[in-house]
Amino acid sequence: NAGVTQTPKFQVLKTGQSMTLQCAQDMNHNSMYWYRQDPGMGLRLIYYSASEGTTDKGEVPNGYNVSRLNKREFSLRLESAAPSQTSVYFCASMTLGGTEYGYTFGSGTRLTVV
Amino acid sequence: AQSVTQLDSQVPVFEEAPVELRCNYSSSVSVYLFWYVQYPNQGLQLLLKYLSGSTLVKGINGFEAEFNKSQTSFHLRKPSVHISDTAEYFCAVSDMNYGGSQGNLIFGKGTKLSVKP
């Protein structure tokens, strides 16, 4: 099925460990996004990539890095995980196509840092 | 920069009653507007979106929303709710002039709808 695929779905890390969250879309969208969701805070933008080869900071980029590997893939890396990064992470892609303008979200990665 | 305010963090309502979830936004440019629903421990599902045209937008599961440009609002309504509508609802906005940071989807903090029997 076409859409946005995130891996892993669940992860537990120890403080200071590193990991990469993977995201891939097969809809040929140019723009991709990483959000984090925390209770009572809604979804906040971490980083985005407007097109292949470009990345920019969103509202809460500290402690994260991203790579737009190609048009399909956009990964999020935590170099040294902290308990404050315990959250649910969503990847999304966006199409501009007229009435089809919209965003497709992955199913999320639930990350716990202990 | 855009911002979104969902005026109620929690809305309790009895089954078969009508409900309105309020959303206001601020932006210096024209916007696209969205409502998403998130059921417990699940991802985001698009309920409806306003891109242009009629200001009354109908979505899935009997929900509708009305875009009011003068009041910068996009309230979500349903005339009769069911237990299965219990979920968290998010209003979101993106601006119409795509390029650079424009086009990013900005979310409100969410409204938890709790439907009681």
Side-chain angles (χ1 to χ4, degrees), chain B residues 31-59:
Chain B
V31 296
Y32 296 129
L33 294 155
F34 303 81
W35 275 100
Y36 289 88
V37 60
Q38 185 179 39
Y39 298 103
N41 297 314
Q42 294 192 24
L44 293 165
Q45 181 179 7
L46 179 67
L47 272 178
L48 48 80
K49 61 184 178 183
Y50 172 79
L51 302 183
S52 65
S54 173
T55 57
L56 183 63
V57 181
K58 294 188 183 298

mmCIF file of all heavy atoms in Angstrom, chain B residues 31-59:
data_model
loop_
_atom_site.group_PDB
_atom_site.id
_atom_site.type_symbol
_atom_site.label_atom_id
_atom_site.label_comp_id
_atom_site.label_asym_id
_atom_site.label_seq_id
_atom_site.Cartn_x
_atom_site.Cartn_y
_atom_site.Cartn_z
ATOM 1 N N VAL B 31 -4.447 30.602 4.096
ATOM 2 C CA VAL B 31 -4.061 29.308 4.650
ATOM 3 C C VAL B 31 -4.935 28.163 4.142
ATOM 4 O O VAL B 31 -6.022 28.372 3.619
ATOM 5 C CB VAL B 31 -4.138 29.322 6.193
ATOM 6 C CG1 VAL B 31 -3.127 30.302 6.770
ATOM 7 C CG2 VAL B 31 -5.552 29.637 6.661
ATOM 8 N N TYR B 32 -4.391 26.980 4.305
ATOM 9 C CA TYR B 32 -5.151 25.751 4.203
ATOM 10 C C TYR B 32 -5.393 25.257 5.626
ATOM 11 O O TYR B 32 -4.531 25.408 6.493
ATOM 12 C CB TYR B 32 -4.369 24.676 3.439
ATOM 13 C CG TYR B 32 -4.078 24.999 1.993
ATOM 14 C CD1 TYR B 32 -2.782 24.883 1.494
ATOM 15 C CD2 TYR B 32 -5.086 25.382 1.120
ATOM 16 C CE1 TYR B 32 -2.501 25.153 0.166
ATOM 17 C CE2 TYR B 32 -4.818 25.652 -0.211
ATOM 18 C CZ TYR B 32 -3.515 25.536 -0.686
ATOM 19 O OH TYR B 32 -3.237 25.801 -1.995
ATOM 20 N N LEU B 33 -6.543 24.630 5.857
ATOM 21 C CA LEU B 33 -6.908 24.204 7.207
ATOM 22 C C LEU B 33 -7.302 22.734 7.227
ATOM 23 O O LEU B 33 -7.907 22.231 6.282
ATOM 24 C CB LEU B 33 -8.068 25.061 7.727
ATOM 25 C CG LEU B 33 -7.705 26.534 7.931
ATOM 26 C CD1 LEU B 33 -8.937 27.404 7.838
ATOM 27 C CD2 LEU B 33 -7.012 26.726 9.269
ATOM 28 N N PHE B 34 -6.947 22.075 8.321
ATOM 29 C CA PHE B 34 -7.158 20.640 8.439
ATOM 30 C C PHE B 34 -7.672 20.297 9.837
ATOM 31 O O PHE B 34 -7.353 20.969 10.816
ATOM 32 C CB PHE B 34 -5.829 19.890 8.236
ATOM 33 C CG PHE B 34 -5.153 20.169 6.924
ATOM 34 C CD1 PHE B 34 -4.397 21.323 6.751
ATOM 35 C CD2 PHE B 34 -5.252 19.263 5.877
ATOM 36 C CE1 PHE B 34 -3.750 21.584 5.543
ATOM 37 C CE2 PHE B 34 -4.610 19.521 4.669
ATOM 38 C CZ PHE B 34 -3.873 20.672 4.507
ATOM 39 N N TRP B 35 -8.449 19.213 9.898
ATOM 40 C CA TRP B 35 -8.756 18.561 11.162
ATOM 41 C C TRP B 35 -8.335 17.093 11.055
ATOM 42 O O TRP B 35 -8.660 16.415 10.077
ATOM 43 C CB TRP B 35 -10.243 18.610 11.481
ATOM 44 C CG TRP B 35 -10.689 19.860 12.165
ATOM 45 C CD1 TRP B 35 -11.302 20.952 11.606
ATOM 46 C CD2 TRP B 35 -10.593 20.155 13.560
ATOM 47 N NE1 TRP B 35 -11.567 21.896 12.552
ATOM 48 C CE2 TRP B 35 -11.148 21.434 13.762
ATOM 49 C CE3 TRP B 35 -10.093 19.450 14.666
ATOM 50 C CZ2 TRP B 35 -11.219 22.022 15.029
ATOM 51 C CZ3 TRP B 35 -10.157 20.039 15.913
ATOM 52 C CH2 TRP B 35 -10.716 21.311 16.091
ATOM 53 N N TYR B 36 -7.603 16.649 12.085
ATOM 54 C CA TYR B 36 -7.196 15.251 12.190
ATOM 55 C C TYR B 36 -7.784 14.650 13.459
ATOM 56 O O TYR B 36 -7.989 15.340 14.458
ATOM 57 C CB TYR B 36 -5.672 15.133 12.266
ATOM 58 C CG TYR B 36 -4.956 15.442 10.977
ATOM 59 C CD1 TYR B 36 -4.582 16.741 10.659
ATOM 60 C CD2 TYR B 36 -4.644 14.430 10.079
ATOM 61 C CE1 TYR B 36 -3.922 17.028 9.470
ATOM 62 C CE2 TYR B 36 -3.977 14.705 8.891
ATOM 63 C CZ TYR B 36 -3.630 15.999 8.603
ATOM 64 O OH TYR B 36 -2.976 16.279 7.426
ATOM 65 N N VAL B 37 -7.988 13.329 13.420
ATOM 66 C CA VAL B 37 -8.430 12.602 14.600
ATOM 67 C C VAL B 37 -7.386 11.548 14.936
ATOM 68 O O VAL B 37 -6.772 10.947 14.037
ATOM 69 C CB VAL B 37 -9.818 11.964 14.392
ATOM 70 C CG1 VAL B 37 -9.822 10.984 13.224
ATOM 71 C CG2 VAL B 37 -10.305 11.284 15.661
ATOM 72 N N GLN B 38 -7.189 11.347 16.223
ATOM 73 C CA GLN B 38 -6.267 10.319 16.690
ATOM 74 C C GLN B 38 -6.973 9.481 17.748
ATOM 75 O O GLN B 38 -7.273 9.982 18.836
ATOM 76 C CB GLN B 38 -4.996 10.942 17.258
ATOM 77 C CG GLN B 38 -3.939 9.923 17.643
ATOM 78 C CD GLN B 38 -2.679 10.571 18.168
ATOM 79 O OE1 GLN B 38 -2.731 11.565 18.893
ATOM 80 N NE2 GLN B 38 -1.529 10.035 17.801
ATOM 81 N N TYR B 39 -7.218 8.227 17.438
ATOM 82 C CA TYR B 39 -7.789 7.296 18.408
ATOM 83 C C TYR B 39 -6.666 6.795 19.313
ATOM 84 O O TYR B 39 -5.488 6.824 18.933
ATOM 85 C CB TYR B 39 -8.498 6.163 17.689
ATOM 86 C CG TYR B 39 -9.647 6.650 16.838
ATOM 87 C CD1 TYR B 39 -9.512 6.757 15.453
ATOM 88 C CD2 TYR B 39 -10.855 7.044 17.414
ATOM 89 C CE1 TYR B 39 -10.543 7.238 14.669
ATOM 90 C CE2 TYR B 39 -11.888 7.524 16.640
ATOM 91 C CZ TYR B 39 -11.730 7.622 15.273
ATOM 92 O OH TYR B 39 -12.746 8.106 14.495
ATOM 93 N N PRO B 40 -7.003 6.328 20.499
ATOM 94 C CA PRO B 40 -5.963 5.926 21.456
ATOM 95 C C PRO B 40 -4.934 4.979 20.855
ATOM 96 O O PRO B 40 -5.292 3.986 20.215
ATOM 97 C CB PRO B 40 -6.781 5.271 22.568
ATOM 98 C CG PRO B 40 -8.105 5.972 22.518
ATOM 99 C CD PRO B 40 -8.357 6.221 21.049
ATOM 100 N N ASN B 41 -3.684 5.333 21.048
ATOM 101 C CA ASN B 41 -2.542 4.529 20.608
ATOM 102 C C ASN B 41 -2.517 4.284 19.099
ATOM 103 O O ASN B 41 -2.022 3.242 18.646
ATOM 104 C CB ASN B 41 -2.527 3.188 21.352
ATOM 105 C CG ASN B 41 -2.346 3.383 22.833
ATOM 106 O OD1 ASN B 41 -1.480 4.149 23.267
ATOM 107 N ND2 ASN B 41 -3.181 2.734 23.621
ATOM 108 N N GLN B 42 -3.055 5.227 18.361
ATOM 109 C CA GLN B 42 -3.020 5.105 16.905
ATOM 110 C C GLN B 42 -2.407 6.354 16.286
ATOM 111 O O GLN B 42 -2.061 7.314 16.977
ATOM 112 C CB GLN B 42 -4.431 4.865 16.354
ATOM 113 C CG GLN B 42 -5.017 3.532 16.781
ATOM 114 C CD GLN B 42 -6.273 3.191 16.015
ATOM 115 O OE1 GLN B 42 -6.504 3.672 14.899
ATOM 116 N NE2 GLN B 42 -7.101 2.342 16.605
ATOM 117 N N GLY B 43 -2.269 6.330 14.974
ATOM 118 C CA GLY B 43 -1.733 7.471 14.249
ATOM 119 C C GLY B 43 -2.803 8.490 13.936
ATOM 120 O O GLY B 43 -3.916 8.446 14.464
ATOM 121 N N LEU B 44 -2.466 9.430 13.057
ATOM 122 C CA LEU B 44 -3.369 10.519 12.702
ATOM 123 C C LEU B 44 -4.180 10.157 11.460
ATOM 124 O O LEU B 44 -3.634 9.651 10.483
ATOM 125 C CB LEU B 44 -2.557 11.780 12.398
ATOM 126 C CG LEU B 44 -1.839 12.391 13.579
ATOM 127 C CD1 LEU B 44 -0.808 13.379 13.112
ATOM 128 C CD2 LEU B 44 -2.822 13.056 14.521
ATOM 129 N N GLN B 45 -5.451 10.474 11.520
ATOM 130 C CA GLN B 45 -6.337 10.242 10.380
ATOM 131 C C GLN B 45 -6.969 11.570 9.979
ATOM 132 O O GLN B 45 -7.497 12.292 10.819
ATOM 133 C CB GLN B 45 -7.419 9.229 10.758
ATOM 134 C CG GLN B 45 -8.385 8.902 9.634
ATOM 135 C CD GLN B 45 -9.433 7.883 10.043
ATOM 136 O OE1 GLN B 45 -9.531 7.497 11.204
ATOM 137 N NE2 GLN B 45 -10.230 7.446 9.083
ATOM 138 N N LEU B 46 -6.931 11.889 8.698
ATOM 139 C CA LEU B 46 -7.522 13.131 8.218
ATOM 140 C C LEU B 46 -9.045 13.047 8.275
ATOM 141 O O LEU B 46 -9.649 12.130 7.719
ATOM 142 C CB LEU B 46 -7.063 13.403 6.787
ATOM 143 C CG LEU B 46 -7.625 14.670 6.142
ATOM 144 C CD1 LEU B 46 -7.077 15.919 6.834
ATOM 145 C CD2 LEU B 46 -7.288 14.706 4.649
ATOM 146 N N LEU B 47 -9.654 14.020 8.955
ATOM 147 C CA LEU B 47 -11.119 14.113 8.997
ATOM 148 C C LEU B 47 -11.644 14.923 7.813
ATOM 149 O O LEU B 47 -12.588 14.528 7.149
ATOM 150 C CB LEU B 47 -11.572 14.804 10.278
ATOM 151 C CG LEU B 47 -11.810 13.987 11.532
ATOM 152 C CD1 LEU B 47 -12.202 14.911 12.665
ATOM 153 C CD2 LEU B 47 -12.862 12.917 11.301
ATOM 154 N N LEU B 48 -11.043 16.082 7.608
ATOM 155 C CA LEU B 48 -11.467 16.977 6.534
ATOM 156 C C LEU B 48 -10.422 18.061 6.352
ATOM 157 O O LEU B 48 -9.549 18.243 7.210
ATOM 158 C CB LEU B 48 -12.841 17.589 6.826
ATOM 159 C CG LEU B 48 -13.069 18.202 8.213
ATOM 160 C CD1 LEU B 48 -12.486 19.603 8.327
ATOM 161 C CD2 LEU B 48 -14.566 18.223 8.541
ATOM 162 N N LYS B 49 -10.533 18.764 5.235
ATOM 163 C CA LYS B 49 -9.621 19.863 4.955
ATOM 164 C C LYS B 49 -10.333 20.946 4.158
ATOM 165 O O LYS B 49 -11.254 20.652 3.386
ATOM 166 C CB LYS B 49 -8.386 19.383 4.194
ATOM 167 C CG LYS B 49 -8.695 18.759 2.839
ATOM 168 C CD LYS B 49 -7.421 18.210 2.185
ATOM 169 C CE LYS B 49 -7.739 17.531 0.856
ATOM 170 N NZ LYS B 49 -6.524 16.922 0.240
ATOM 171 N N TYR B 50 -9.886 22.179 4.365
ATOM 172 C CA TYR B 50 -10.350 23.302 3.571
ATOM 173 C C TYR B 50 -9.183 23.808 2.739
ATOM 174 O O TYR B 50 -8.145 24.210 3.272
ATOM 175 C CB TYR B 50 -10.884 24.434 4.456
ATOM 176 C CG TYR B 50 -11.179 25.668 3.650
ATOM 177 C CD1 TYR B 50 -12.348 25.763 2.891
ATOM 178 C CD2 TYR B 50 -10.276 26.718 3.585
ATOM 179 C CE1 TYR B 50 -12.600 26.870 2.110
ATOM 180 C CE2 TYR B 50 -10.523 27.836 2.805
ATOM 181 C CZ TYR B 50 -11.684 27.898 2.065
ATOM 182 O OH TYR B 50 -11.934 28.989 1.282
ATOM 183 N N LEU B 51 -9.384 23.789 1.424
ATOM 184 C CA LEU B 51 -8.365 24.328 0.519
ATOM 185 C C LEU B 51 -8.881 25.584 -0.165
ATOM 186 O O LEU B 51 -8.151 26.584 -0.310
ATOM 187 C CB LEU B 51 -7.976 23.287 -0.528
ATOM 188 C CG LEU B 51 -7.437 21.953 0.014
ATOM 189 C CD1 LEU B 51 -7.026 21.042 -1.144
ATOM 190 C CD2 LEU B 51 -6.271 22.169 0.959
ATOM 191 N N SER B 52 -10.121 25.553 -0.629
ATOM 192 C CA SER B 52 -10.735 26.691 -1.303
ATOM 193 C C SER B 52 -12.199 26.370 -1.515
ATOM 194 O O SER B 52 -12.664 25.271 -1.183
ATOM 195 C CB SER B 52 -10.050 26.974 -2.643
ATOM 196 O OG SER B 52 -10.247 25.888 -3.527
ATOM 197 N N GLY B 53 -12.947 27.337 -2.061
ATOM 198 C CA GLY B 53 -14.331 27.076 -2.420
ATOM 199 C C GLY B 53 -15.277 27.243 -1.248
ATOM 200 O O GLY B 53 -15.100 28.125 -0.407
ATOM 201 N N SER B 54 -16.277 26.378 -1.181
ATOM 202 C CA SER B 54 -17.292 26.468 -0.142
ATOM 203 C C SER B 54 -16.654 26.471 1.245
ATOM 204 O O SER B 54 -15.771 25.664 1.534
ATOM 205 C CB SER B 54 -18.266 25.297 -0.243
ATOM 206 O OG SER B 54 -19.145 25.298 0.868
ATOM 207 N N THR B 55 -17.149 27.355 2.080
ATOM 208 C CA THR B 55 -16.567 27.465 3.419
ATOM 209 C C THR B 55 -17.051 26.359 4.349
ATOM 210 O O THR B 55 -16.494 26.186 5.429
ATOM 211 C CB THR B 55 -16.898 28.827 4.036
ATOM 212 O OG1 THR B 55 -18.319 28.996 4.068
ATOM 213 C CG2 THR B 55 -16.253 29.952 3.233
ATOM 214 N N LEU B 56 -18.088 25.630 3.961
ATOM 215 C CA LEU B 56 -18.562 24.501 4.751
ATOM 216 C C LEU B 56 -17.978 23.228 4.150
ATOM 217 O O LEU B 56 -18.248 22.876 3.004
ATOM 218 C CB LEU B 56 -20.088 24.442 4.756
ATOM 219 C CG LEU B 56 -20.707 23.335 5.606
ATOM 220 C CD1 LEU B 56 -20.351 23.537 7.074
ATOM 221 C CD2 LEU B 56 -22.213 23.296 5.411
ATOM 222 N N VAL B 57 -17.199 22.552 4.945
ATOM 223 C CA VAL B 57 -16.488 21.371 4.464
ATOM 224 C C VAL B 57 -17.025 20.147 5.185
ATOM 225 O O VAL B 57 -17.129 20.139 6.410
ATOM 226 C CB VAL B 57 -14.981 21.495 4.740
ATOM 227 C CG1 VAL B 57 -14.243 20.273 4.228
ATOM 228 C CG2 VAL B 57 -14.417 22.768 4.116
ATOM 229 N N LYS B 58 -17.355 19.134 4.424
ATOM 230 C CA LYS B 58 -17.832 17.884 5.018
ATOM 231 C C LYS B 58 -16.719 16.848 4.995
ATOM 232 O O LYS B 58 -15.977 16.744 4.015
ATOM 233 C CB LYS B 58 -19.060 17.384 4.277
ATOM 234 C CG LYS B 58 -20.264 18.317 4.448
ATOM 235 C CD LYS B 58 -21.526 17.722 3.876
ATOM 236 C CE LYS B 58 -22.697 18.697 3.999
ATOM 237 N NZ LYS B 58 -22.995 19.021 5.415
ATOM 238 N N GLY B 59 -16.628 16.095 6.085
ATOM 239 C CA GLY B 59 -15.584 15.098 6.183
ATOM 240 C C GLY B 59 -16.129 13.714 6.455
ATOM 241 O O GLY B 59 -17.301 13.443 6.250
#
